[in-house]
Amino acid sequence: MLDTLLFAVFPYVAVALAVVVGFYRYFSDRFSYSSLSSQFLENRGLFWGSVSWHYGILAILLGHLIGFLIPRSVLAWNGVPWRLYVLEASALMFGILTLWGLVVLIIRRFSSARIRVVTSLMDIVLLVVLLVQVVAGVWTAIFYRWGSSWYAGFAVPYLWSIIKFSPDISLVNNLPFMVKLHIIGAYVIVGLIPFTRLVHLLSFPFTYFWRPYQVVIWNRRKETRG
Amino acid sequence: MDIRSQVSMVFHLDKCIGCHTCSVACKNIWTDRKGTEYMWWNNVETKPGTGFPTLWEDQEKYKGGWEKKGKDLRLKMHGSKTGGLANIFYNPNMPNLDDYYEPWTYDYKHLFTAPEGDDQPTARAISLITGKHMEIEAGPNWDDDLGGSPVYAANDPNLESLTENERLALNELERVVFFYLPRICNHCLNPGCVASCPAGAIYKRGEDGIVLVSQEKCRAWRMCITGCPYKKTYYNWGSGKSEKCILCYPRLESGEPPACFHACVGRIRYLGVLLYDADRIKEIASVPEDELVEAQRSILQDPFDPEIIALAKANGISDATLASARNSPVYKFVKKWKLALPLHPEFRTVPMLYYVPPLLPVLAAVKDGNYDVTEIADAGLAPMLSSLEKARVPLRFLASLFAAGNAEKVTAVYRKLIAVRIHMRASRVKDIPEAEQKEALAQGNLTVKEAEDIWRLTSMATFDERFVLPPLAREVAVEAKVDPSTHKREVGFGFKKAGERKW
Ligand code: HEM
Ligand code: SF4
């Protein structure tokens, strides 16, 4: 019963929350969409924390995405032992980088008087949830080998079952606790997006790549040009 | 040609008395909110000095503005746009709070609540950031009037252009010299802040050229703080948004000059329209350094030229704006008389705030503890006490500030300023021989009429001559989108919610 709730119902709740509240916040309080950078108040800790964390987490997320999109190719790649080791070792390395970055960020949040002033309750909630999630992820990588292969066998079909609206929890309900925690953690984070500074993910400035350097806005003319 | 109109500014440094009234006027209106305490959209610096934030002019440190790469311009802070975004998680060239200062107040309450004791209670400093007691280590004008000059003035980046001896001479008491440099956002034609903003939140208003940060679009990627070489975009640490000088556009739209202009005690500030050719911005921003001043002048167009008027009209510039362009004091100072120069044109943002450099006191000597001017009189410098050849501030220092190192441009300005001075003294006090007066005018390349016009606009100008505001089209702008009477009921003060963090 609990498993059904967590693995078959909660994913939809989380995504629905993300979408509905995300839109609500965007249209009712666009001002609040911000990465809320705190670099101005503290520099050094942010360098070690933010750079490690972001490069780590983005690489890891990309890994999860690739595994999800092309599981067969990943399995094929893992067919040769040294390639499996290279993949697993680099994944673990990024995982540890992520963890290290996050720990630095958390220590920074609590040790710097200036940063404490700009720390909201949701910031703390988010950092704790992310910590649990990353620890569970690294734990899984270390103790349940080889994740990159069984991810293709269990997690990918399970995720597809969610996407196809026919959740098949038999794929996941026998997994070890830490792995389950990692899956639930992911949904919690998705659900948290609109309630926290994570909205900054949705604002990634792609347009910067193709827009001209200068932006001019006219009252009457429609176009914006340099 | 793409003729556009720009609300531009001239600051006449000879008239600045360094009173900071401008800064206070601005602070009281715009930056007395949480998160903005440390910001000074308008600040007044002592030169030589390191400025605010400390060493802002040192682009090796802060990487603001543009640099030439082959024929192209690129932001100094990135190799490329992609490279720039790679630094989005941590901006390696961003000044932080300590490069500005930690804002504070005093614990006044303690004066009333302190328990009875043997000592007088004191009001200790409290940080406006953390709310805790703090030691004050710096302020926004810590080096005012050369305070702490061995630390501050001695490290002015512009002194690099001087010889060792010249630098030492500036330290001698009887040769000490300084002037004030009031600074606001330059509302540039090729702004570094706009170009560096990944979110596209910063924009130039087409009609008047005012540069603004959209508070709704800003995502705190904090690249503009680095992109602006003048450090005139500031990060609001409370709201997570960048903010900057808005040239008091709400005041301009209701026909009043910006608060710092209005409040200025020395009446050093002038505001008016310049017409320019937007097609040539990149071109004039890319010329070699010693040509920058001239190139930036060349983009400004003559508002009396019928051809320019026709092109401007075709571009939607109104008759009223064109009329104000013809009356613009800025046009006179910058283009007609060539007296006002851009601050650090080598940053290549094409700033639209120009400075008339301060007249230079002559080298003097102290004899037996007295300030001795006999030598000056012997050298034929009395009664003006001003001379280009014997100036106390090396011209190269001023050239480094206002002409990207091109001393010729600064010299030409000084020849004019000195000519006006000699001419007016000769015609009013009549203690300067006519030959000398003629000679000075010839050197300054000025007619008598021009010299008198310059004198008038410099020292006698009325409020309406100093501030020639174009009609900024607030009603028109609104009307284009919604019925004005509906609009009137819908908004009053723009934001209906406090710009505070809620999520
Ligand atoms: C899409 C690409 C991303 C960009 C451009 C980005 C950018 C940023 C920036 C600019 C900051 C502010 C850093 C500062 O204080 O100066 C930040 C903070 C943060 N980001 Fe990201 N981020 C991205 C992805 C992510 C992801 C995927 C996560 C986690 C799922 C994440 C979690 C966080 C957290 C938790 C903080 C706050 C750190 C702190 O405690 O100060 N970010 N991000
Ligand atoms: S108010 Fe005018 S005179 Fe006083 S410091 Fe500011 S610019 Fe100078």
Side-chain angles (χ1 to χ4, degrees), chain A residues 21-22 24-55 57-58 109 112-124 192-197 199-226, chain B residues 2-4 34 38 66 73-75 78 80-82 85-100 102 129-132 189-207 215-222 235 237-241 282 315-316 473 476-477 479-481 495 497-503:
Chain A
V21 182
Y24 170 75
R25 177 166 168 186
Y26 189 73
F27 288 106
S28 73
D29 190 10
R30 195 165 305 173
F31 180 79
S32 73
Y33 267 65
S34 167
S35 74
L36 292 165
S37 166
S38 55
Q39 182 176 354
F40 178 71
L41 298 176
E42 200 285 337
N43 227 328
R44 272 180 61 83
L46 187 80
F47 169 73
W48 293 106
S50 181
V51 175
S52 315
W53 159 255
H54 281 100
Y55 280 109
I57 190 72
L58 289 177
R109 278 249 154 229
S112 157
R114 287 179 184 174
I115 298 301
R116 271 210 304 278
V117 177
V118 290
T119 301
S120 71
L121 178 65
M122 281 323 262
D123 286 342
I124 298 172
L192 274 178
I193 289 177
F195 295 101
T196 61
R197 70 194 311 139
V199 288
H200 75 278
L201 310 184
L202 311 175
S203 333
F204 185 80
F206 295 107
T207 48
Y208 191 56
F209 293 114
W210 56 80
R211 78 147 220 255
Y213 270 129
Q214 298 303 346
V215 180
V216 178
I217 297 184
W218 300 81
N219 280 325
R220 286 227 149 158
R221 297 189 206 168
K222 266 272 170 290
E223 88 275 38
T224 296
R225 56 175 169 165
Chain B
D2 179 5
I3 301 290
R4 293 185 195 170
K34 179 184 165 203
Y38 83 96
W66 303 85
L73 280 185
R74 68 172 188 192
L75 286 173
H78 325 132
S80 62
K81 281 181 176 175
T82 330
L85 282 192
N87 280 337
I88 200 165
F89 311 117
Y90 169 82
N91 175 350
N93 306 301
M94 179 178 160
N96 68 10
L97 184 66
D98 296 314
D99 294 306
Y100 299 83
E102 183 161 356
I129 310 262
T130 61
K132 300 205 166 73
L189 293 190
N190 189 29
C193 58
V194 177
S196 63
C197 177
I202 316 187
Y203 62 100
K204 196 168 177 67
R205 302 213 302 190
E207 286 77 6
Q215 296 291 298
E216 300 251 298
K217 286 190 193 162
C218 172
R219 297 285 177 268
W221 305 127
R222 32 111 177 86
Y235 183 70
W237 56 265
S239 68
K241 303 277 162 169
K282 223 188 213 148
N315 237 2
V476 177
E479 172 203 326
K481 293 181 198 127
F495 268 124
K497 286 169 285 192
E500 263 173 22
R501 192 171 168 195
K502 287 190 277 308
W503 295 76

